[in-house]
Every structure is written in C-alpha cells, then in structure tokens.
Amino acid sequence: MRADMLTTILTDLNGTSADIEASGLVSTDGLMMAAVLPQGMDEDRVGAMSAAMLSLGDRTSQELARGTLEQVLIKGDKGYVLMVQSGNDAVLTVLAKPQAKLGLIFLDVKRAADSISELV
C-alpha cells in the first residue's frame, strides 16, 4: 500500500515537467523503495549511486562548515541528477534533461520530497 502511494507521488512528479526523465526514492542504505525509471535503467545502480552521493555530500557539507545538506546536484552534458533528502531515511533522486528549467524542478522536487517524508 505504502509503495503504491510512493510510486503515485513519483509518477505525479515525473508528470509535472517533460524535462524530468526519471525519479526514484532510495533508502539511505541504497535500496530502491519506489521508482519511475525509463526502460533499461538499472534500479539497483540508481539506488547505490544515490546513497553514495548523498552520504558524500552530507560529509562534505559538514566538514566544510556548510551546515545541513539540502541537496546534491550533478550536471553532465546529457542532463542533471538531483538528490534531495526526504525524511530521515530516504533520498529522492531525479534525472532531468540538459535544457531543464531547474528552478521549477527544484520546486516540484521539494513538494514531492515533503509529501514522501510524511509517508516514510
């Protein structure tokens, strides 16, 4: 039941913008809790990479006195990876196209993360 609700939130998030290509909710230990990914994208790999990057981002933020980590943003020539903490034990990961309007995506992702944090 909870997994269905999480998947619904991710499906709605992906539908808010044509620039969002995929989203997944990953536990802080790297296990995929819910995902809306394109065909052929490896859920386990997305989960492991998300958990590793968030952990590294959190440590970096602490070590360099930047406060509590809010998000990790990676930009590649084929698009963006955005990771946002969602509750204490989960990470919302979103893949977006290179021409994505990040301000709108940040807003939509924050809303989705808030909704998810109430469930997890």
Side-chain angles (χ1 to χ4, degrees):
M1 183 66 179
R2 186 181 74 152
D4 292 342
M5 293 170 74
L6 294 173
T7 301
T8 298
I9 292 170
L10 295 180
T11 301
D12 290 349
L13 173 61
N14 288 17
T16 60
S17 169
D19 291 332
I20 295 177
E21 297 179 300
S23 61
L25 185 67
V26 182
S27 67
T28 48
D29 56 3
L31 299 174
M32 191 65 74
M33 299 165 69
V36 180
L37 303 176
Q39 194 73 31
M41 187 171 284
D42 186 344
E43 238 181 59
D44 293 337
R45 179 172 286 167
V46 173
M49 293 290 106
S50 297
M53 281 304 303
L54 199 79
S55 176
L56 186 59
D58 188 48
R59 184 159 177 212
T60 302
S61 185
Q62 297 295 324
E63 292 287 332
L64 300 179
R66 300 296 96 188
T68 304
L69 180 70
E70 292 183 17
Q71 66 185 26
V72 173
L73 178 66
I74 298 169
K75 182 178 191 279
D77 63 347
K78 294 185 177 157
Y80 297 93
V81 181
L82 173 63
M83 286 164 262
V84 177
Q85 193 83 34
S86 187
N88 291 329
D89 301 316
V91 179
L92 176 57
T93 299
V94 174
L95 305 181
K97 295 178 181 174
Q99 74 277 10
K101 292 179 175 49
L102 288 180
L104 294 173
I105 289 177
F106 287 155
L107 186 65
D108 293 334
V109 168
K110 171 115 177 63
R111 284 189 189 132
D114 290 345
S115 296
I116 289 166
S117 68
E118 294 172 11
L119 294 175
V120 295

